[in-house]
Amino acid sequence: GTIVAAGTGTLNYAIASQTPNGALHINSTTGELTVADASLFDFETSPNIDAVITILNTDATTTVNATIHLNDIDDIASFLSSSKTAYTNANDNDWIEVTEAEYNNLAAKLNEVATAGLKEGVFEDDLSLLIGGAYSFTLSTQNTADTELRIKNDAYVFAFKYVSLTTDTRTADVVKTSSSSDGTLGYSDLGTALPSHSGEGTHYFVLKGNNTPNTADGYLAFYSSNATGYKRTSGYTNFYIRGNNNDITGRLEDIKYQSLTPPKKTMGLN
């Protein structure tokens, strides 16, 4: 937008104050307002961007107020393409399978996205490097020395990926989260079961309308109804228990799965 003013001589424009601070920039000679920090355009944090603009020449100074009203949109839907219709038609708390490109687009462009379970550089999707196992097990991959991989307090998990090593159709896989510093206890189902899917390789999902934030730092778990790819990874321990359970007692090699979890329910754009 542009601040329009008239007066004698050369006019100069400046932002005297703004909320959130640093969101906007103004051209000092034309009055054109532009985005300075897109990550601050976040409806959940600040539904309005407000600024006080100073206009001055050699004779006088005046101020005007500028307000930008943000729209409350579904940020996940904004970055979906081929899966957007399925996502739109789904119910809240349903998981929807998406493409790798859509998953990566969400990871790259949503503001302040974090990972839980495994770092991106540790996640292995080369089937030749993985072993198949974990039939009907509940699993939780952890690196207790790296607290950044926990699901943070007040975070909402919205995406998940894992590697399947079976061609069978899977209909009962379940994502779980805990709000406990004890990574073996207190898990609960996050959303419905993953939708029916099949084929070897990495599968990608997003969760619609998650309104259940973690109440403390916790962990991610996965009930795998069939073979899931795993390998030994230094620094990581995988806890497991047979069946679909919420308390996990055993230890196993690292299972390759991961979620994306933002620090709040929905995010502004990078």
Side-chain angles (χ1 to χ4, degrees):
T2 301
I3 303 299
V4 178
T8 59
T10 300
L11 299 181
N12 291 282
Y13 302 83
I15 297 176
S17 63
Q18 57 179 308
T19 305
N21 189 42
L24 297 171
H25 170 78
I26 194 166
N27 185 300
S28 62
T29 58
T30 66
E32 182 184 25
L33 274 174
T34 55
V35 174
D37 185 349
S39 68
L40 298 176
F41 284 65
D42 182 349
F43 181 90
E44 281 68 36
T45 302
S46 303
N48 298 318
I49 308 293
D50 297 302
V52 177
I53 311 297
T54 299
I55 311 159
L56 66 146
N57 62 11
T58 56
D59 299 321
T61 300
T62 190
T63 59
V64 294
N65 297 322
T67 299
I68 299 169
H69 302 283
L70 303 185
N71 294 324
D72 185 12
I73 62 173
D74 188 321
D75 297 339
I76 294 174
S78 300
F79 292 102
L80 298 180
S81 51
S82 59
S83 304
K84 188 169 185 175
T85 299
Y87 180 88
T88 301
N89 293 336
N91 296 318
D92 283 351
N93 293 316
D94 281 349
W95 288 95
I96 299 89
E97 189 167 15
V98 299
T99 66
E100 178 182 5
E102 289 171 318
Y103 183 97
N104 291 338
N105 201 29
L106 288 165
K109 293 184 178 180
L110 288 176
N111 186 37
E112 299 181 16
V113 169
T115 58
L118 292 170
K119 290 181 177 177
E120 192 59 44
V122 175
F123 190 93
E124 181 61 71
D125 56 9
D126 185 340
L127 301 187
S128 67
L129 300 177
L130 298 174
I131 303 169
Y135 296 84
S136 190
F137 278 87
T138 300
L139 315 151
S140 179
T141 299
Q142 297 170 33
N143 182 337
T144 54
D146 191 346
T147 58
E148 291 302 311
L149 296 178
R150 296 178 185 175
I151 303 171
K152 298 303 182 184
N153 181 33
D154 291 331
Y156 293 75
V157 173
F158 72 91
F160 177 81
K161 69 179 181 181
Y162 82 100
V163 180
S164 176
L165 282 187
T166 178
T167 59
D168 295 345
T169 299
R170 306 169 69 126
T171 60
D173 295 345
V174 179
V175 180
K176 298 173 180 285
T177 58
S178 76
S179 292
S180 170
S181 59
D182 186 336
T184 67
L185 302 176
Y187 289 90
S188 58
D189 294 358
L190 180 64
T192 59
L194 295 182
S196 174
H197 60 284
S198 61
E200 291 183 319
T202 307
H203 292 270
Y204 305 84
F205 305 90
V206 295
L207 179 61
K208 182 174 181 179
N210 178 17
N211 289 310
T212 308
N214 261 37
T215 57
D217 284 8
Y219 293 93
L220 176 73
F222 177 47
Y223 169 63
S224 174
S225 63
N226 211 315
T228 299
Y230 72 92
K231 64 178 283 190
R232 181 184 295 276
T233 303
S234 177
Y236 289 83
T237 300
N238 197 83
F239 296 88
Y240 76 98
I241 191 169
R242 182 171 294 279
N244 185 354
N245 284 284
N246 292 329
D247 294 331
I248 307 170
T249 56
R251 291 174 180 261
L252 195 67
E253 307 297 345
D254 176 50
I255 303 296
K256 295 300 182 182
Y257 66 86
Q258 176 192 68
S259 78
L260 296 177
T261 165
K264 44 185 174 290
K265 180 180 176 184
T266 50
M267 298 69 62
L269 309 184
N270 273 336

